[in-house]
Amino acid sequence: MRLIGLLMVICVCVATHAQSFLDRRSDWQKKELKGSVRTIKTYEVRKLDFLTAEELKVFQQRGQKPPYYKKVWTNTLDFNRMGYIMKSRCPESWTGDNYDMTYNAANQPLCMIRYKDDGSINNSYKFTYDKHGFILYAERRNDESVIFKEFYTCDNKGNLLRMIHKNEDGGSSENIFEYQNCKLSKWTITDNEQPYQTMIFDGSIDRLKELYVWNGKHCDHIRISINSAGLPEMAEKETEYGGWYIYVQRSFDSQNNIIKEIFYNVDGSVSNEKTFSYKYDSYGNWIRKESKGKGTFDNRIEEREIIYY
């Protein structure tokens, strides 16, 4: 999750299910959860100015003083006993996805059904495997037509070598995966036969070392430093003149969660600094997270209710 967060502040990555077939860990592991988590219910703690006029009126009728904060449900995740997400629910699409997942005996995804905010089905995403259990084909469709198709090629060990993504409108992208000593080293994406993005890894999908993103004739080049715990603690960005500057630096607590994130401008000045504090349960999973920064959406409080098997 921390790596994904770092990617999000650097670039917009192509969204495909290829990543799930490169990272075979359970969702417990991907989300760095400890213990056998059954359900996580997440809330955002909002200030009083988010209360509606109707809500304020209720407190006035009761002769009560409105609370300074109110807790708003944003997302619920249900996991099976093997640690894979079975269901995701949220009140509105901006807080997350509403979907159900089914798996085969090897815990590989078979079908994802996505829902609209009103509960009706939006689209489905189905996966097909060959006789060896290697991913072969995926298709997303709604009631009317196929939205896109994905064609996969694997080696004799099940390592993903190639994925071709074809949209309904005729657009397409190709993903090529390379390995060194059977470990992921490179992922290259072309969009409509034009270079789009290349990622260099240190052996696995969660250890990104370098990133190249093409934007027309210009290419952004980013280097990521990984600490001894495997965490992305710094990213440097190459300037158009060939020099380098630190783009973002991160520090972590003993639970490997981010506690400080500093963003820099090209001249070395600080553009933003965010801090994070946590409260943990007995398993070591955070149940309250408070973030502070300069941006409007940097200042927030989240709470989680976690149920275990």
Side-chain angles (χ1 to χ4, degrees):
M1 293 298 292
R2 285 183 292 271
L3 177 60
I4 294 173
L6 185 58
L7 287 173
M8 289 297 289
V9 301
I10 295 172
C11 70
V12 178
C13 296
V14 172
T16 71
H17 263 267
Q19 184 170 328
S20 65
F21 298 109
L22 294 168
D23 189 348
R24 299 174 183 176
R25 298 175 300 165
S26 70
D27 290 315
W28 285 342
Q29 294 170 314
K30 293 175 185 176
K31 293 182 176 296
E32 296 153 345
L33 296 170
K34 303 171 181 69
S36 299
V37 174
R38 180 175 180 176
T39 300
I40 297 179
K41 194 169 186 178
T42 305
Y43 301 87
E44 184 177 343
V45 182
R46 297 177 178 173
K47 289 185 178 181
L48 178 61
D49 54 10
F50 281 93
L51 290 176
T52 65
E54 291 77 11
E55 290 172 323
L56 288 171
K57 186 176 180 180
V58 170
F59 285 102
Q60 293 170 351
Q61 291 174 340
R62 295 175 180 174
Q64 298 175 335
K65 184 179 179 180
Y68 183 66
Y69 293 102
K70 74 169 184 176
K71 195 160 68 171
V72 179
W73 169 61
T74 57
N75 180 246
T76 299
L77 294 175
D78 291 332
F79 301 81
N80 62 22
R81 289 185 175 273
M82 299 302 293
Y84 294 89
I85 295 173
M86 298 186 302
K87 180 188 295 186
S88 174
R89 292 292 184 269
C90 59
E92 298 173 331
S93 57
W94 68 269
T95 66
D97 284 331
N98 285 306
Y99 64 85
D100 292 331
M101 289 289 302
T102 56
Y103 302 88
N104 60 20
N107 292 310
Q108 296 171 307
L110 287 177
C111 182
M112 170 188 278
I113 299 177
R114 292 179 178 272
Y115 300 93
K116 299 177 183 178
D117 289 346
D118 62 8
S120 61
I121 293 178
N122 187 7
N123 57 65
S124 63
Y125 200 171
K126 295 184 178 181
F127 306 87
T128 302
Y129 302 86
D130 65 18
K131 63 181 181 180
H132 303 291
F134 303 155
I135 182 64
L136 190 65
Y137 175 75
E139 179 181 278
R140 177 174 288 183
R141 63 179 305 126
N142 54 30
D143 290 339
E144 299 177 355
S145 62
V146 174
I147 301 172
F148 63 74
K149 299 178 181 180
E150 292 175 340
F151 303 87
Y152 296 82
T153 303
C154 299
D155 64 15
N156 57 10
K157 295 182 180 179
N159 294 313
L160 188 58
L161 298 178
R162 186 182 185 215
M163 190 275 282
I164 297 176
H165 178 101
K166 293 187 176 182
N167 295 324
E168 181 185 23
D169 61 6
S172 66
S173 64
E174 182 180 31
N175 296 250
I176 301 295
F177 309 93
E178 300 176 33
Y179 301 82
Q180 289 183 352
N181 300 320
C182 298
K183 294 182 178 180
L184 182 66
S185 61
K186 189 175 181 181
W187 178 357
T188 302
I189 304 172
T190 58
D191 188 15
N192 289 324
E193 300 183 354
Q194 296 298 317
Y196 175 68
Q197 187 169 297
T198 296
M199 292 163 279
I200 308 297
F201 299 93
D202 186 18
S204 62
I205 189 69
D206 61 335
R207 294 179 68 91
L208 180 66
K209 292 196 307 181
E210 289 188 74
L211 177 65
Y212 298 83
V213 181
W214 283 267
N215 182 12
K217 296 181 179 180
H218 178 70
C219 177
D220 287 327
H221 183 194
I222 295 147
R223 297 187 305 205
I224 298 170
S225 299
I226 302 172
N227 65 17
S228 58
L231 305 173
E233 63 181 1
M234 184 176 71
E236 297 175 287
K237 193 171 184 178
E238 188 175 17
T239 68
E240 59 181 312
Y241 305 106
W244 290 85
Y245 74 97
I246 297 174
Y247 180 72
V248 60
Q249 278 186 312
R250 287 179 162 185
S251 54
F252 304 85
D253 64 9
S254 59
Q255 299 288 344
N256 291 335
N257 283 312
I258 303 166
I259 55 175
K260 183 179 286 188
E261 190 171 46
I262 305 175
F263 295 87
Y264 297 91
N265 298 310
V266 179
D267 62 5
S269 60
V270 174
S271 62
N272 194 6
E273 180 175 331
K274 296 196 287 186
T275 59
F276 307 84
S277 59
Y278 305 87
K279 181 180 178 181
Y280 296 96
D281 65 9
S282 59
Y283 287 87
N285 295 313
W286 68 263
I287 52 177
R288 182 180 172 89
K289 175 182 177 181
E290 185 171 357
S291 58
K292 297 179 180 179
K294 292 182 180 179
T296 303
F297 298 102
D298 292 340
N299 298 280
R300 60 186 306 190
I301 299 172
E302 291 179 281
E303 293 185 353
R304 300 197 301 191
E305 295 177 357
I306 304 178
I307 302 172
Y308 298 86
Y309 281 104

